[in-house]
């Protein structure tokens, strides 16, 4: 693989080789992106995956760098990273996706590993869809509890909680990826600079409440932990 494939980081252009930060291996998460769409409409699955990775010293101790390669425009996705408060290495890879994902569709989420030998870079592993659950700890912990994930596909006895009525919304609350709500409650700006100002009167009541600094609405039954 070409080591000089172009990326864009917070300090400007860099290469794939430079994204290793001098370490031997690199794990990358390819973040899906919907150009021109507001934060609420960005991928809930990728937001869920990216939120799981908070501490990197353990991977660094094994000579491994972790980074997110976003598949959208730099200006938009860097604002999203700031809104979410993530501090992991984050690069816009839009310019080089054809070469980075050669033979694979551009757009879906991917988890890809690389190793370098001097100035040469090799791809060693890739997965997508359910394979990216390797990044998650939330579901792994839920699976240890008596009620599990509380999703409709579970063969649970009558009367057991099923908080999520449809799998398409399992990672959203009131139209937003779940992890966004704590950021909005903290009054962080979710403006990605890519769409006209919205009519606040047309916003969901829960979102207007969050913008006013009130406790956001949550469709959980009693006894279920809040976000």
């Amino acid at each position: 693989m070409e080591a000089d494939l172009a990326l864009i980081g917070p300090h400007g252009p860099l290469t794939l080789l430079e994204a290793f930060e001098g370490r031997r291996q690199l794990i990358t998460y390819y973040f899906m992106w919907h150009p021109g769409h507001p934060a609420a409409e960005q991928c809930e699955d990728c937001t869920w995956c990216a939120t799981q990775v908070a501490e990197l010293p353990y991977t660094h101790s094994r000579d491994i760098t972790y980074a997110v390669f976003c598949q959208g425009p730099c200006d938009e996705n860097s604002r999203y990273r700031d809104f979410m408060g993530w501090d992991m290495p984050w690069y816009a890879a839009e310019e080089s996706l054809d070469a980075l994902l050669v033979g694979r569709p551009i757009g879906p989420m991917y988890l890809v590993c690389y190793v370098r030998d001097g100035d040469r870079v090799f791809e060693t592993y890739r997965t997508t869809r359910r394979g990216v659950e390797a990044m998650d700890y939330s579901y792994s912990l839920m699976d240890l509890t008596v009620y599990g994930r509380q999703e409709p596909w579970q063969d649970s006895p009558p009367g057991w909680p099923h908080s999520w009525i449809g799998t398409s919304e399992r990672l959203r609350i009131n139209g937003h990826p779940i992890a966004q709500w704590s950021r909005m409650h903290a009054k962080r700006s979710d403006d990605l600079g890519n769409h006209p100002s919205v009519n606040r009167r047309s916003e969901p009541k829960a979102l207007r409440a969050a913008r006013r600094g009130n406790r956001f609405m949550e469709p959980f039954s009693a006894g279920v932990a809040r976000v």
Side-chain angles (χ1 to χ4, degrees), residues 185-204:
H185 183 60
K187 299 183 179 180
R188 292 184 187 171
S189 173
D190 62 351
D191 180 10
L192 304 184
N194 59 5
H195 64 287
S197 298
V198 297
N199 179 354
R200 298 301 185 206
R201 292 182 179 275
S202 67
E203 289 182 330

Side-chain angles (χ1 to χ4, degrees), residues 135-147:
M135 300 173 63
D136 169 63
Y137 63 86
S138 298
Y139 273 170
S140 297
L141 292 174
M142 292 178 197
D143 289 342
L144 301 177
T145 68
V146 66
Y147 294 139

Side-chain angles (χ1 to χ4, degrees), residues 30-106:
Y30 282 78
F31 198 108
M32 298 173 64
W33 194 256
H34 304 299
H37 289 244
E41 297 176 10
Q42 296 304 328
C43 179
E44 64 270 23
D45 294 273
C46 289
T47 300
W48 162 64
C49 285
T51 302
Q52 310 294 319
V53 184
E55 293 287 337
L56 300 177
Y58 294 103
T59 54
H60 291 173
S61 73
R62 303 306 195 267
D63 207 21
I64 302 168
T65 294
Y66 170 81
V68 173
F69 284 9
C70 191
Q71 301 183 60
C74 180
D75 289 346
E76 292 183 17
N77 67 65
S78 61
R79 286 177 180 237
Y80 191 72
R81 175 182 182 262
D82 292 343
F83 163 54
M84 295 302 298
W86 294 326
D87 58 5
M88 78 284 276
W90 180 285
Y91 306 113
E94 186 179 31
E95 180 181 337
S96 298
L97 289 175
D98 285 333
L100 287 165
L101 298 176
V102 62
R104 284 158 280 177
I106 293 173

Side-chain angles (χ1 to χ4, degrees), residues 16 41-42 54 122 163:
L16 173 61
E41 297 176 10
Q42 296 304 328
F122 302 90
S163 300

